[in-house]
PDB file of all heavy atoms in Angstrom:
ATOM      1  N   LEU A  44      -3.462  -6.913  -4.916  1.00 59.00           N
ATOM      2  CA  LEU A  44      -3.952  -6.113  -3.830  1.00 59.00           C
ATOM      3  C   LEU A  44      -5.422  -6.294  -3.493  1.00 59.00           C
ATOM      4  O   LEU A  44      -5.781  -5.985  -2.436  1.00 59.00           O
ATOM      5  CB  LEU A  44      -3.618  -4.623  -4.038  1.00 59.00           C
ATOM      6  CG  LEU A  44      -2.199  -4.190  -3.744  1.00 59.00           C
ATOM      7  CD1 LEU A  44      -1.966  -2.771  -4.096  1.00 59.00           C
ATOM      8  CD2 LEU A  44      -1.790  -4.407  -2.275  1.00 59.00           C
ATOM      9  N   ASN A  45      -6.159  -6.803  -4.562  1.00 65.00           N
ATOM     10  CA  ASN A  45      -7.593  -6.722  -4.288  1.00 65.00           C
ATOM     11  C   ASN A  45      -8.177  -8.104  -4.660  1.00 65.00           C
ATOM     12  O   ASN A  45      -8.881  -8.401  -5.693  1.00 65.00           O
ATOM     13  CB  ASN A  45      -8.227  -5.725  -5.251  1.00 65.00           C
ATOM     14  CG  ASN A  45      -7.769  -4.353  -4.965  1.00 65.00           C
ATOM     15  OD1 ASN A  45      -8.097  -3.761  -3.902  1.00 65.00           O
ATOM     16  ND2 ASN A  45      -6.825  -3.884  -5.806  1.00 65.00           N
ATOM     17  N   ARG A  46      -7.687  -9.072  -3.789  1.00 73.00           N
ATOM     18  CA  ARG A  46      -8.177 -10.390  -3.894  1.00 73.00           C
ATOM     19  C   ARG A  46      -8.564 -10.820  -2.478  1.00 73.00           C
ATOM     20  O   ARG A  46      -8.235 -10.203  -1.440  1.00 73.00           O
ATOM     21  CB  ARG A  46      -7.033 -11.337  -4.352  1.00 73.00           C
ATOM     22  CG  ARG A  46      -6.650 -10.997  -5.812  1.00 73.00           C
ATOM     23  CD  ARG A  46      -5.741 -12.013  -6.347  1.00 73.00           C
ATOM     24  NE  ARG A  46      -5.509 -11.878  -7.811  1.00 73.00           N
ATOM     25  CZ  ARG A  46      -4.580 -12.461  -8.565  1.00 73.00           C
ATOM     26  NH1 ARG A  46      -3.928 -13.420  -7.969  1.00 73.00           N
ATOM     27  NH2 ARG A  46      -4.435 -12.170  -9.846  1.00 73.00           N
ATOM     28  N   GLU A  47      -9.408 -12.031  -2.356  1.00 82.00           N
ATOM     29  CA  GLU A  47      -9.722 -12.566  -1.144  1.00 82.00           C
ATOM     30  C   GLU A  47      -8.444 -12.654  -0.241  1.00 82.00           C
ATOM     31  O   GLU A  47      -7.351 -13.103  -0.739  1.00 82.00           O
ATOM     32  CB  GLU A  47     -10.531 -13.844  -1.246  1.00 82.00           C
ATOM     33  CG  GLU A  47     -11.762 -13.697  -2.109  1.00 82.00           C
ATOM     34  CD  GLU A  47     -12.733 -12.682  -1.550  1.00 82.00           C
ATOM     35  OE1 GLU A  47     -13.000 -12.933  -0.386  1.00 82.00           O
ATOM     36  OE2 GLU A  47     -13.202 -11.922  -2.261  1.00 82.00           O
ATOM     37  N   ARG A  48      -8.560 -12.443   1.065  1.00 87.00           N
ATOM     38  CA  ARG A  48      -7.438 -12.430   1.970  1.00 87.00           C
ATOM     39  C   ARG A  48      -7.607 -13.328   3.095  1.00 87.00           C
ATOM     40  O   ARG A  48      -8.778 -13.682   3.499  1.00 87.00           O
ATOM     41  CB  ARG A  48      -6.979 -11.029   2.303  1.00 87.00           C
ATOM     42  CG  ARG A  48      -6.809 -10.125   1.190  1.00 87.00           C
ATOM     43  CD  ARG A  48      -6.164  -8.839   1.572  1.00 87.00           C
ATOM     44  NE  ARG A  48      -4.719  -8.977   1.864  1.00 87.00           N
ATOM     45  CZ  ARG A  48      -3.808  -9.105   0.969  1.00 87.00           C
ATOM     46  NH1 ARG A  48      -4.105  -8.967  -0.239  1.00 87.00           N
ATOM     47  NH2 ARG A  48      -2.485  -9.237   1.349  1.00 87.00           N
ATOM     48  N   LYS A  49      -6.557 -13.721   3.736  1.00 92.00           N
ATOM     49  CA  LYS A  49      -6.539 -14.480   5.015  1.00 92.00           C
ATOM     50  C   LYS A  49      -5.490 -14.046   5.954  1.00 92.00           C
ATOM     51  O   LYS A  49      -4.450 -13.512   5.553  1.00 92.00           O
ATOM     52  CB  LYS A  49      -6.422 -15.988   4.716  1.00 92.00           C
ATOM     53  CG  LYS A  49      -4.965 -16.443   4.071  1.00 92.00           C
ATOM     54  CD  LYS A  49      -4.993 -17.922   3.934  1.00 92.00           C
ATOM     55  CE  LYS A  49      -3.601 -18.233   3.240  1.00 92.00           C
ATOM     56  NZ  LYS A  49      -3.513 -19.732   2.909  1.00 92.00           N
ATOM     57  N   ILE A  50      -5.664 -14.273   7.165  1.00 94.00           N
ATOM     58  CA  ILE A  50      -4.711 -14.019   8.163  1.00 94.00           C
ATOM     59  C   ILE A  50      -4.158 -15.315   8.603  1.00 94.00           C
ATOM     60  O   ILE A  50      -4.855 -16.385   8.914  1.00 94.00           O
ATOM     61  CB  ILE A  50      -5.378 -13.397   9.502  1.00 94.00           C
ATOM     62  CG1 ILE A  50      -6.074 -12.049   9.097  1.00 94.00           C
ATOM     63  CG2 ILE A  50      -4.211 -13.043  10.465  1.00 94.00           C
ATOM     64  CD1 ILE A  50      -5.118 -11.097   8.570  1.00 94.00           C
ATOM     65  N   VAL A  51      -2.741 -15.398   8.654  1.00 94.00           N
ATOM     66  CA  VAL A  51      -2.032 -16.610   8.913  1.00 94.00           C
ATOM     67  C   VAL A  51      -1.330 -16.349  10.241  1.00 94.00           C
ATOM     68  O   VAL A  51      -0.665 -15.370  10.394  1.00 94.00           O
ATOM     69  CB  VAL A  51      -1.026 -16.953   7.831  1.00 94.00           C
ATOM     70  CG1 VAL A  51      -0.186 -18.204   8.203  1.00 94.00           C
ATOM     71  CG2 VAL A  51      -1.757 -17.299   6.551  1.00 94.00           C
ATOM     72  N   ARG A  52      -1.276 -17.393  11.181  1.00 94.00           N
ATOM     73  CA  ARG A  52      -0.385 -17.254  12.296  1.00 94.00           C
ATOM     74  C   ARG A  52       0.444 -18.496  12.471  1.00 94.00           C
ATOM     75  O   ARG A  52      -0.090 -19.651  12.319  1.00 94.00           O
ATOM     76  CB  ARG A  52      -1.341 -17.167  13.630  1.00 94.00           C
ATOM     77  CG  ARG A  52      -0.532 -16.809  14.899  1.00 94.00           C
ATOM     78  CD  ARG A  52      -1.234 -16.756  16.156  1.00 94.00           C
ATOM     79  NE  ARG A  52      -1.671 -18.144  16.533  1.00 94.00           N
ATOM     80  CZ  ARG A  52      -2.839 -18.489  16.848  1.00 94.00           C
ATOM     81  NH1 ARG A  52      -3.894 -17.712  16.713  1.00 94.00           N
ATOM     82  NH2 ARG A  52      -3.190 -19.809  17.207  1.00 94.00           N
ATOM     83  N   LEU A  53       1.750 -18.332  12.673  1.00 93.00           N
ATOM     84  CA  LEU A  53       2.697 -19.402  12.841  1.00 93.00           C
ATOM     85  C   LEU A  53       3.141 -19.265  14.376  1.00 93.00           C
ATOM     86  O   LEU A  53       3.516 -18.317  14.683  1.00 93.00           O
ATOM     87  CB  LEU A  53       3.834 -19.182  11.996  1.00 93.00           C
ATOM     88  CG  LEU A  53       3.643 -19.314  10.439  1.00 93.00           C
ATOM     89  CD1 LEU A  53       4.857 -18.979   9.635  1.00 93.00           C
ATOM     90  CD2 LEU A  53       3.118 -20.623  10.093  1.00 93.00           C
ATOM     91  N   ASP A  54       2.920 -20.434  15.104  1.00 93.00           N
ATOM     92  CA  ASP A  54       3.198 -20.478  16.530  1.00 93.00           C
ATOM     93  C   ASP A  54       4.569 -21.273  16.531  1.00 93.00           C
ATOM     94  O   ASP A  54       4.626 -22.525  16.199  1.00 93.00           O
ATOM     95  CB  ASP A  54       2.144 -21.164  17.323  1.00 93.00           C
ATOM     96  CG  ASP A  54       0.844 -20.428  17.146  1.00 93.00           C
ATOM     97  OD1 ASP A  54       0.793 -19.221  17.099  1.00 93.00           O
ATOM     98  OD2 ASP A  54      -0.176 -21.186  17.110  1.00 93.00           O
ATOM     99  N   PHE A  55       5.676 -20.611  16.982  1.00 92.00           N
ATOM    100  CA  PHE A  55       6.934 -21.240  17.070  1.00 92.00           C
ATOM    101  C   PHE A  55       7.025 -22.065  18.433  1.00 92.00           C
ATOM    102  O   PHE A  55       7.038 -21.456  19.509  1.00 92.00           O
ATOM    103  CB  PHE A  55       8.097 -20.297  16.891  1.00 92.00           C
ATOM    104  CG  PHE A  55       8.100 -19.666  15.477  1.00 92.00           C
ATOM    105  CD1 PHE A  55       7.944 -18.283  15.485  1.00 92.00           C
ATOM    106  CD2 PHE A  55       8.272 -20.391  14.394  1.00 92.00           C
ATOM    107  CE1 PHE A  55       7.889 -17.638  14.280  1.00 92.00           C
ATOM    108  CE2 PHE A  55       8.418 -19.673  13.139  1.00 92.00           C
ATOM    109  CZ  PHE A  55       8.183 -18.325  13.046  1.00 92.00           C
ATOM    110  N   LEU A  56       7.196 -23.305  18.303  1.00 87.00           N
ATOM    111  CA  LEU A  56       7.386 -24.233  19.479  1.00 87.00           C
ATOM    112  C   LEU A  56       8.789 -24.700  19.538  1.00 87.00           C
ATOM    113  O   LEU A  56       9.481 -24.660  18.420  1.00 87.00           O
ATOM    114  CB  LEU A  56       6.332 -25.297  19.500  1.00 87.00           C
ATOM    115  CG  LEU A  56       4.882 -24.835  19.360  1.00 87.00           C
ATOM    116  CD1 LEU A  56       3.965 -26.018  19.278  1.00 87.00           C
ATOM    117  CD2 LEU A  56       4.573 -23.932  20.625  1.00 87.00           C
ATOM    118  N   PRO A  57       9.212 -25.359  20.600  1.00 84.00           N
ATOM    119  CA  PRO A  57      10.628 -25.804  20.645  1.00 84.00           C
ATOM    120  C   PRO A  57      10.996 -26.835  19.531  1.00 84.00           C
ATOM    121  O   PRO A  57      12.042 -26.886  19.166  1.00 84.00           O
ATOM    122  CB  PRO A  57      10.691 -26.392  21.950  1.00 84.00           C
ATOM    123  CG  PRO A  57       9.609 -25.706  22.808  1.00 84.00           C
ATOM    124  CD  PRO A  57       8.463 -25.421  21.904  1.00 84.00           C
ATOM    125  N   ASP A  58       9.941 -27.618  19.050  1.00 80.00           N
ATOM    126  CA  ASP A  58      10.444 -28.737  18.202  1.00 80.00           C
ATOM    127  C   ASP A  58       9.655 -28.697  16.827  1.00 80.00           C
ATOM    128  O   ASP A  58       9.659 -29.605  16.141  1.00 80.00           O
ATOM    129  CB  ASP A  58      10.300 -30.047  18.796  1.00 80.00           C
ATOM    130  CG  ASP A  58       8.956 -30.349  19.369  1.00 80.00           C
ATOM    131  OD1 ASP A  58       8.130 -29.474  19.476  1.00 80.00           O
ATOM    132  OD2 ASP A  58       8.714 -31.511  19.598  1.00 80.00           O
ATOM    133  N   LYS A  59       8.664 -27.767  16.739  1.00 82.00           N
ATOM    134  CA  LYS A  59       7.703 -27.694  15.617  1.00 82.00           C
ATOM    135  C   LYS A  59       7.027 -26.384  15.480  1.00 82.00           C
ATOM    136  O   LYS A  59       7.185 -25.430  16.316  1.00 82.00           O
ATOM    137  CB  LYS A  59       6.665 -28.816  15.733  1.00 82.00           C
ATOM    138  CG  LYS A  59       5.789 -28.691  17.060  1.00 82.00           C
ATOM    139  CD  LYS A  59       4.915 -29.995  17.123  1.00 82.00           C
ATOM    140  CE  LYS A  59       4.166 -29.901  18.462  1.00 82.00           C
ATOM    141  NZ  LYS A  59       3.349 -31.166  18.786  1.00 82.00           N
ATOM    142  N   VAL A  60       6.224 -26.310  14.387  1.00 87.00           N
ATOM    143  CA  VAL A  60       5.542 -24.913  14.148  1.00 87.00           C
ATOM    144  C   VAL A  60       4.052 -25.392  13.955  1.00 87.00           C
ATOM    145  O   VAL A  60       3.708 -26.282  13.243  1.00 87.00           O
ATOM    146  CB  VAL A  60       6.025 -24.272  12.833  1.00 87.00           C
ATOM    147  CG1 VAL A  60       5.104 -23.110  12.605  1.00 87.00           C
ATOM    148  CG2 VAL A  60       7.521 -23.855  13.095  1.00 87.00           C
ATOM    149  N   HIS A  61       3.219 -24.578  14.719  1.00 88.00           N
ATOM    150  CA  HIS A  61       1.795 -24.720  14.451  1.00 88.00           C
ATOM    151  C   HIS A  61       1.244 -23.698  13.397  1.00 88.00           C
ATOM    152  O   HIS A  61       1.711 -22.541  13.593  1.00 88.00           O
ATOM    153  CB  HIS A  61       1.018 -24.513  15.756  1.00 88.00           C
ATOM    154  CG  HIS A  61       0.886 -25.916  16.611  1.00 88.00           C
ATOM    155  ND1 HIS A  61      -0.112 -26.720  16.443  1.00 88.00           N
ATOM    156  CD2 HIS A  61       1.670 -26.253  17.478  1.00 88.00           C
ATOM    157  CE1 HIS A  61       0.142 -27.615  17.379  1.00 88.00           C
ATOM    158  NE2 HIS A  61       1.104 -27.532  18.050  1.00 88.00           N
ATOM    159  N   LEU A  62       0.467 -24.093  12.551  1.00 89.00           N
ATOM    160  CA  LEU A  62      -0.117 -23.059  11.541  1.00 89.00           C
ATOM    161  C   LEU A  62      -1.608 -23.047  11.797  1.00 89.00           C
ATOM    162  O   LEU A  62      -2.321 -23.952  11.893  1.00 89.00           O
ATOM    163  CB  LEU A  62       0.238 -23.588  10.077  1.00 89.00           C
ATOM    164  CG  LEU A  62      -0.667 -23.009   9.069  1.00 89.00           C
ATOM    165  CD1 LEU A  62      -0.380 -21.515   8.899  1.00 89.00           C
ATOM    166  CD2 LEU A  62      -0.524 -23.786   7.684  1.00 89.00           C
ATOM    167  N   THR A  63      -2.110 -21.713  11.943  1.00 91.00           N
ATOM    168  CA  THR A  63      -3.473 -21.326  12.088  1.00 91.00           C
ATOM    169  C   THR A  63      -3.723 -20.490  11.037  1.00 91.00           C
ATOM    170  O   THR A  63      -3.089 -19.373  10.944  1.00 91.00           O
ATOM    171  CB  THR A  63      -3.885 -20.952  13.379  1.00 91.00           C
ATOM    172  OG1 THR A  63      -3.573 -21.905  14.361  1.00 91.00           O
ATOM    173  CG2 THR A  63      -5.408 -20.692  13.490  1.00 91.00           C
ATOM    174  N   GLU A  64      -4.823 -20.535  10.184  1.00 91.00           N
ATOM    175  CA  GLU A  64      -5.174 -19.451   9.252  1.00 91.00           C
ATOM    176  C   GLU A  64      -6.729 -19.337   9.195  1.00 91.00           C
ATOM    177  O   GLU A  64      -7.438 -20.314   9.408  1.00 91.00           O
ATOM    178  CB  GLU A  64      -4.579 -19.800   7.908  1.00 91.00           C
ATOM    179  CG  GLU A  64      -4.911 -21.145   7.328  1.00 91.00           C
ATOM    180  CD  GLU A  64      -4.183 -21.350   6.012  1.00 91.00           C
ATOM    181  OE1 GLU A  64      -3.158 -20.852   5.858  1.00 91.00           O
ATOM    182  OE2 GLU A  64      -4.758 -22.161   5.191  1.00 91.00           O
ATOM    183  N   ARG A  65      -7.174 -18.218   8.757  1.00 92.00           N
ATOM    184  CA  ARG A  65      -8.625 -17.937   8.624  1.00 92.00           C
ATOM    185  C   ARG A  65      -8.771 -16.878   7.649  1.00 92.00           C
ATOM    186  O   ARG A  65      -8.063 -15.872   7.627  1.00 92.00           O
ATOM    187  CB  ARG A  65      -9.243 -17.600  10.024  1.00 92.00           C
ATOM    188  CG  ARG A  65     -10.657 -17.617  10.029  1.00 92.00           C
ATOM    189  CD  ARG A  65     -11.222 -17.178  11.432  1.00 92.00           C
ATOM    190  NE  ARG A  65     -12.596 -17.654  11.523  1.00 92.00           N
ATOM    191  CZ  ARG A  65     -12.948 -18.570  12.530  1.00 92.00           C
ATOM    192  NH1 ARG A  65     -12.032 -18.960  13.369  1.00 92.00           N
ATOM    193  NH2 ARG A  65     -14.154 -18.960  12.628  1.00 92.00           N
ATOM    194  N   SER A  66      -9.720 -17.038   6.800  1.00 89.00           N
ATOM    195  CA  SER A  66     -10.047 -15.985   5.790  1.00 89.00           C
ATOM    196  C   SER A  66     -10.623 -14.732   6.475  1.00 89.00           C
ATOM    197  O   SER A  66     -11.398 -14.844   7.396  1.00 89.00           O
ATOM    198  CB  SER A  66     -11.074 -16.584   4.656  1.00 89.00           C
ATOM    199  OG  SER A  66     -12.258 -16.966   5.305  1.00 89.00           O
ATOM    200  N   ILE A  67     -10.335 -13.632   5.977  1.00 88.00           N
ATOM    201  CA  ILE A  67     -11.034 -12.331   6.413  1.00 88.00           C
ATOM    202  C   ILE A  67     -12.475 -12.348   5.907  1.00 88.00           C
ATOM    203  O   ILE A  67     -12.713 -12.366   4.702  1.00 88.00           O
ATOM    204  CB  ILE A  67     -10.239 -11.157   5.954  1.00 88.00           C
ATOM    205  CG1 ILE A  67      -8.745 -11.211   6.499  1.00 88.00           C
ATOM    206  CG2 ILE A  67     -10.946  -9.876   6.321  1.00 88.00           C
ATOM    207  CD1 ILE A  67      -7.918  -9.981   6.051  1.00 88.00           C
ATOM    208  N   GLN A  68     -13.354 -12.278   6.810  1.00 83.00           N
ATOM    209  CA  GLN A  68     -14.833 -12.253   6.484  1.00 83.00           C
ATOM    210  C   GLN A  68     -15.540 -10.957   6.998  1.00 83.00           C
ATOM    211  O   GLN A  68     -15.630 -10.829   8.181  1.00 83.00           O
ATOM    212  CB  GLN A  68     -15.456 -13.457   7.035  1.00 83.00           C
ATOM    213  CG  GLN A  68     -14.916 -14.775   6.446  1.00 83.00           C
ATOM    214  CD  GLN A  68     -15.539 -16.004   7.054  1.00 83.00           C
ATOM    215  OE1 GLN A  68     -16.218 -15.985   8.089  1.00 83.00           O
ATOM    216  NE2 GLN A  68     -15.393 -17.193   6.376  1.00 83.00           N
ATOM    217  N   THR A  69     -15.861 -10.099   6.045  1.00 83.00           N
ATOM    218  CA  THR A  69     -16.727  -8.875   6.376  1.00 83.00           C
ATOM    219  C   THR A  69     -18.001  -8.988   5.708  1.00 83.00           C
ATOM    220  O   THR A  69     -18.299  -9.786   4.761  1.00 83.00           O
ATOM    221  CB  THR A  69     -15.868  -7.750   5.975  1.00 83.00           C
ATOM    222  OG1 THR A  69     -15.683  -7.808   4.541  1.00 83.00           O
ATOM    223  CG2 THR A  69     -14.453  -7.659   6.641  1.00 83.00           C
ATOM    224  N   ALA A  70     -18.881  -8.061   6.057  1.00 79.00           N
ATOM    225  CA  ALA A  70     -20.165  -8.129   5.462  1.00 79.00           C
ATOM    226  C   ALA A  70     -20.119  -7.977   3.968  1.00 79.00           C
ATOM    227  O   ALA A  70     -20.891  -8.482   3.185  1.00 79.00           O
ATOM    228  CB  ALA A  70     -21.048  -7.096   6.196  1.00 79.00           C
ATOM    229  N   CYS A  71     -19.267  -6.996   3.524  1.00 80.00           N
ATOM    230  CA  CYS A  71     -19.175  -6.727   2.151  1.00 80.00           C
ATOM    231  C   CYS A  71     -18.661  -7.856   1.279  1.00 80.00           C
ATOM    232  O   CYS A  71     -19.147  -8.036   0.066  1.00 80.00           O
ATOM    233  CB  CYS A  71     -18.308  -5.555   1.798  1.00 80.00           C
ATOM    234  SG  CYS A  71     -16.558  -5.865   2.112  1.00 80.00           S
ATOM    235  N   GLN A  72     -17.928  -8.816   1.840  1.00 77.00           N
ATOM    236  CA  GLN A  72     -17.497  -9.968   1.195  1.00 77.00           C
ATOM    237  C   GLN A  72     -18.813 -10.875   0.849  1.00 77.00           C
ATOM    238  O   GLN A  72     -18.887 -11.278  -0.399  1.00 77.00           O
ATOM    239  CB  GLN A  72     -16.575 -10.845   2.016  1.00 77.00           C
ATOM    240  CG  GLN A  72     -16.234 -12.148   1.454  1.00 77.00           C
ATOM    241  CD  GLN A  72     -15.526 -13.065   2.282  1.00 77.00           C
ATOM    242  OE1 GLN A  72     -15.103 -12.664   3.342  1.00 77.00           O
ATOM    243  NE2 GLN A  72     -15.215 -14.269   2.046  1.00 77.00           N
ATOM    244  N   LYS A  73     -19.636 -11.058   1.733  1.00 75.00           N
ATOM    245  CA  LYS A  73     -20.818 -11.826   1.298  1.00 75.00           C
ATOM    246  C   LYS A  73     -21.741 -11.284   0.375  1.00 75.00           C
ATOM    247  O   LYS A  73     -22.294 -11.886  -0.526  1.00 75.00           O
ATOM    248  CB  LYS A  73     -21.571 -12.129   2.640  1.00 75.00           C
ATOM    249  CG  LYS A  73     -20.767 -13.014   3.699  1.00 75.00           C
ATOM    250  CD  LYS A  73     -21.511 -13.123   4.954  1.00 75.00           C
ATOM    251  CE  LYS A  73     -20.609 -13.894   6.050  1.00 75.00           C
ATOM    252  NZ  LYS A  73     -21.274 -14.049   7.310  1.00 75.00           N
ATOM    253  N   LEU A  74     -21.811  -9.923   0.433  1.00 79.00           N
ATOM    254  CA  LEU A  74     -22.716  -9.194  -0.449  1.00 79.00           C
ATOM    255  C   LEU A  74     -22.090  -9.203  -1.958  1.00 79.00           C
ATOM    256  O   LEU A  74     -22.893  -9.427  -2.869  1.00 79.00           O
ATOM    257  CB  LEU A  74     -22.860  -7.761  -0.037  1.00 79.00           C
ATOM    258  CG  LEU A  74     -23.660  -7.455   1.224  1.00 79.00           C
ATOM    259  CD1 LEU A  74     -23.469  -6.040   1.649  1.00 79.00           C
ATOM    260  CD2 LEU A  74     -25.148  -7.810   1.108  1.00 79.00           C
ATOM    261  N   PHE A  75     -20.865  -9.137  -2.054  1.00 78.00           N
ATOM    262  CA  PHE A  75     -20.311  -9.057  -3.342  1.00 78.00           C
ATOM    263  C   PHE A  75     -20.248 -10.419  -4.009  1.00 78.00           C
ATOM    264  O   PHE A  75     -20.240 -10.642  -5.143  1.00 78.00           O
ATOM    265  CB  PHE A  75     -18.824  -8.590  -3.243  1.00 78.00           C
ATOM    266  CG  PHE A  75     -18.735  -7.024  -3.580  1.00 78.00           C
ATOM    267  CD1 PHE A  75     -18.978  -6.125  -2.640  1.00 78.00           C
ATOM    268  CD2 PHE A  75     -18.513  -6.572  -4.843  1.00 78.00           C
ATOM    269  CE1 PHE A  75     -18.893  -4.778  -2.921  1.00 78.00           C
ATOM    270  CE2 PHE A  75     -18.430  -5.285  -5.198  1.00 78.00           C
ATOM    271  CZ  PHE A  75     -18.668  -4.290  -4.148  1.00 78.00           C
TER     272      PHE A  75
END
Side-chain angles (χ1 to χ4, degrees):
L44 280 174
N45 300 289
R46 295 184 175 181
E47 302 299 311
R48 305 192 71 82
K49 65 180 178 181
I50 303 297
V51 175
R52 190 184 74 233
L53 299 173
D54 304 320
F55 296 117
L56 303 176
D58 58 345
K59 58 188 175 182
V60 175
H61 278 271
L62 164 68
T63 306
E64 57 183 27
R65 196 183 199 115
S66 61
I67 295 177
Q68 296 179 342
T69 60
C71 68
Q72 173 188 354
K73 298 176 182 179
L74 290 171
F75 267 85

